[in-house]
Amino acid sequence: MRGICDCSYEEFESFPAEDVLCYDYKNKDIRSLELKLGGCFTVFIKGKAWMVETRGLLKDEIECVVKHDGTLLINNVSNLKRFHFFGFFNHERKSRYVPRILVTVPENVELDRINIHAGAGNYIFKDTKIVAKELYSELGAGNLELEGIKAQKMKLKCGMGNVKFNGAVEEKLLLDCGMGAVTMQLDGKASDYSYDCKVGLGDFDFNGDIKRGVHTVMASYNSVNGMKCHENYHLL
């Protein structure tokens, strides 16, 4: 069965011209990133400057602004008036478009905070090079892939979706997952990290150490690069 967010690149490029929007910003103006995303396909890639490009969204259906504190807000949750997921039941091709957002992030950018609230879509950070002091993510029933991110502190909450993380966490990670699947690929070996793991009804993969079903693992604390490292993973 074809998912609501599965369409080809040709379909992505075929959106009517009036549905193509572009926003660009100066690198010095962005200090944090806040995402409030509904049912859409969103990809983050590395580049030279901040840029947001959308397909299938009108101006009043997306909010893309820089707040006074330097936070870039991208919000399409509350403004989807004409889009719906029931276009399968009619013959109007335009009603079957899934909104798509492409965000270009400066390579090796340093951010104070990344805040992600995502619903039932696909959200992919594709080989980005981001350094963040804090990363907070709350996912509903979608798919979230975070690649190339280095965070000091990170908190991930996952409902019934899938989360994949590939990067580094320097200090503390809190992970709360309901019935989904979580894959963590942190820099180094699993034995380098200290963590408490509680697995509910989902799957937990930490650097190749896989736990499924109802299982509890507690590991002793280890030192990483001469610095005490304490990662907590809670899957409830």
Side-chain angles (χ1 to χ4, degrees):
M1 181 180 293
R2 196 174 190 226
I4 59 174
C5 287
D6 297 329
C7 66
S8 67
Y9 178 80
E10 289 75 16
E11 287 178 304
F12 176 59
E13 290 296 306
S14 68
F15 279 98
E18 67 270 17
D19 282 359
V20 178
L21 301 174
C22 293
Y23 307 84
D24 48 11
Y25 306 94
K26 295 180 180 179
N27 294 352
K28 64 181 182 64
D29 294 337
I30 309 299
R31 296 170 51 190
S32 297
L33 180 64
E34 181 178 0
L35 307 172
K36 297 181 180 179
L37 303 172
C40 62
F41 182 59
T42 304
V43 177
F44 294 79
I45 60 174
K46 62 185 176 183
K48 295 182 179 180
W50 286 97
M51 179 178 294
V52 180
E53 184 177 352
T54 71
R55 296 287 194 275
L57 291 169
L58 299 180
K59 289 184 178 180
D60 61 346
E61 294 173 336
I62 184 168
E63 182 182 12
C64 193
V65 297
V66 178
K67 297 181 179 180
H68 67 278
D69 61 352
T71 298
L72 173 59
L73 170 64
I74 303 174
N75 176 17
N76 82 318
V77 174
S78 60
N79 297 323
L80 292 180
K81 301 174 182 178
R82 65 189 173 96
F83 176 75
H84 55 83
F85 293 111
F86 303 103
F88 176 81
F89 297 103
N90 67 57
H91 298 285
E92 186 180 349
R93 179 177 175 81
K94 192 172 182 178
S95 68
R96 293 184 281 116
Y97 285 148
V98 175
R100 301 169 87 78
I101 302 173
L102 177 65
V103 183
T104 302
V105 181
E107 188 171 0
N108 298 319
V109 66
E110 296 184 5
L111 298 176
D112 292 335
R113 182 177 176 84
I114 300 175
N115 198 336
I116 304 171
H117 294 270
N122 288 332
Y123 317 98
I124 301 173
F125 284 72
K126 184 176 177 61
D127 191 26
T128 55
K129 300 294 183 182
I130 300 175
V131 178
K133 294 180 180 179
E134 296 182 4
L135 190 155
Y136 174 82
S137 176
E138 185 171 350
L139 178 70
N143 296 292
L144 176 64
E145 298 182 19
L146 302 168
E147 182 179 352
I149 296 179
K150 181 178 180 180
Q152 291 184 10
K153 299 179 181 179
M154 184 163 64
K155 183 176 182 180
L156 302 178
K157 297 183 68 176
C158 175
M160 298 177 63
N162 300 297
V163 175
K164 294 182 180 180
F165 179 85
N166 190 329
V169 181
E170 293 183 338
E171 296 181 12
K172 189 173 184 180
L173 168 62
L174 297 175
L175 179 57
D176 184 345
C177 182
M179 299 175 63
V182 177
T183 301
M184 305 295 301
Q185 188 63 46
L186 298 182
D187 294 350
K189 300 179 296 183
S191 58
D192 293 335
Y193 293 87
S194 303
Y195 65 96
D196 301 329
C197 172
K198 295 182 180 180
V199 181
L201 298 176
D203 294 345
F204 177 47
D205 182 343
F206 176 53
N207 280 30
D209 185 12
I210 302 174
K211 308 299 177 186
R212 293 186 174 93
V214 181
H215 196 98
T216 302
V217 173
M218 298 188 69
S220 60
Y221 298 144
N222 297 295
S223 179
V224 179
N225 296 328
M227 181 173 60
K228 198 71 172 180
C229 179
H230 182 192
E231 265 79 28
N232 292 321
Y233 305 86
H234 299 289
L235 282 76
L236 307 176

